[in-house]
């Protein structure tokens, strides 16, 4: 099983390492035609405006939309969550507009307000998951087809919809494989 990580900017290596720990093959995706080599895609954290502009420049926007339309799953973490959203609360930037969510960028604050918190994610079991929040967004609102998987401080920070999974935090920085395993088990297999 091949899981790709969009390698335009951000925490690519960390996601590839987590995928490998889950006994799947992690592949850095640098060109649109490489999407044909993978069974699922992860869009990593980073700077969402920069990743979005690079996605447009290198023709990833339509190819990722087609990838998902063909039934292949996509997981977005932090900036990846923003890029998968149909809407953002302010500003303009390139978006894939695949998931029926509205997102507030940098909602938990800037870099210096980054933090870690133990999260209750029932679909992962009873043991808390350590969330790493770095300039993290939150999901302001969701459409009727979206399942909210976790909240922190009353804000939606993890959700899923039809082959799409998003988290506002960075599981690839924790050493805890459970979310990557969940993605592979529930979305890819």
């Amino acid at each position: 099983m091949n899981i790709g990580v969009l390698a335009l900017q951000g925490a690519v290596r960390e996601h590839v390492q987590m995928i490998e720990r889950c006994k799947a093959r992690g592949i850095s995706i640098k060109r649109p035609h490489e999407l044909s080599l993978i069974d699922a895609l992860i869009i990593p954290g980073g700077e969402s405006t920069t990743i979005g502009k690079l996605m447009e420049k290198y023709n990833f926007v339509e190819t990722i939309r087609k990838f998902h339309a063909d039934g292949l799953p996509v997981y977005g973490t932090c900036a990846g969550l923003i890029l998968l959203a149909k809407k953002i609360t302010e500003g303009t930037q390139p978006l894939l507009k695949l998931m029926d969510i509205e997102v507030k960028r940098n909602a938990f604050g800037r870099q210096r307000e980054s933090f870690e918190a133990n999260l209750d994610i029932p679909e992962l079991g009873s043991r808390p998951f350590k969330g790493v929040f770095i300039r993290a967004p939150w999901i302001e609102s969701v459409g009727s087809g979206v399942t909210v998987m976790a909240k922190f401080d009353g804000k939606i920070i993890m959700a899923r919809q039809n082959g799409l999974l998003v988290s506002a935090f960075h599981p690839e920085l924790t050493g805890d494989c459970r979310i990557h395993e969940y993605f592979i088990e529930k979305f890819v297999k």
Side-chain angles (χ1 to χ4, degrees), residues 48-142:
S48 66
T49 304
T50 301
I51 296 173
K53 288 179 179 176
L54 291 171
M55 286 172 53
E56 283 187 335
K57 180 176 180 179
Y58 295 107
N59 300 313
F60 269 107
V61 174
E62 288 307 318
T63 51
I64 291 174
R65 286 177 179 154
K66 182 177 183 321
F67 179 84
H68 179 63
D70 289 343
L72 297 164
V74 183
Y75 173 30
T77 62
C78 196
L81 176 155
I82 296 167
L83 290 161
L84 285 170
K86 283 198 173 167
K87 290 174 49 180
I88 54 176
T89 59
E90 63 214 27
T92 59
Q93 69 172 81
L95 299 173
L96 290 163
K97 299 183 178 181
L98 292 174
M99 192 167 184
D100 193 9
I101 55 176
E102 182 173 12
V103 174
K104 182 176 175 76
R105 298 173 66 231
N106 299 319
F108 287 105
R110 307 298 301 176
Q111 189 84 21
R112 67 172 175 256
E113 282 90 43
S114 299
F115 63 97
E116 296 179 4
N118 286 326
L119 305 174
D120 180 28
I121 306 174
E123 292 187 46
L124 297 183
S126 59
R127 185 165 49 99
F129 189 93
K130 183 171 76 175
V132 177
F133 293 80
I134 303 170
R135 293 186 309 147
W138 67 50
I139 299 171
E140 192 79 15
S141 62
V142 301

Side-chain angles (χ1 to χ4, degrees), residues 1 3 15 18-19 21-24 39-42 73-77 99 120-127 129 145-150 157-167 169 171 176-189:
M1 178 182 316
I3 311 295
H15 275 293
M18 289 296 267
I19 292 164
R21 286 181 61 193
C22 295
K23 311 294 186 216
D39 303 300
L41 177 68
I42 294 176
V74 183
Y75 173 30
T77 62
M99 192 167 184
D120 180 28
I121 306 174
E123 292 187 46
L124 297 183
S126 59
R127 185 165 49 99
F129 189 93
V146 176
T147 300
V148 174
M149 295 178 63
I157 47 101
M158 188 171 186
R160 59 181 166 82
Q161 177 189 21
N162 296 336
L164 301 170
L165 178 69
V166 293
S167 65
F169 50 93
D176 187 335
C177 295
R178 285 183 291 161
I179 290 180
H180 288 78
E181 288 172 346
Y182 175 87
F183 179 61
I184 292 168
E185 289 294 323
K186 302 290 187 186
F187 289 72
V188 187
K189 285 187 175 175

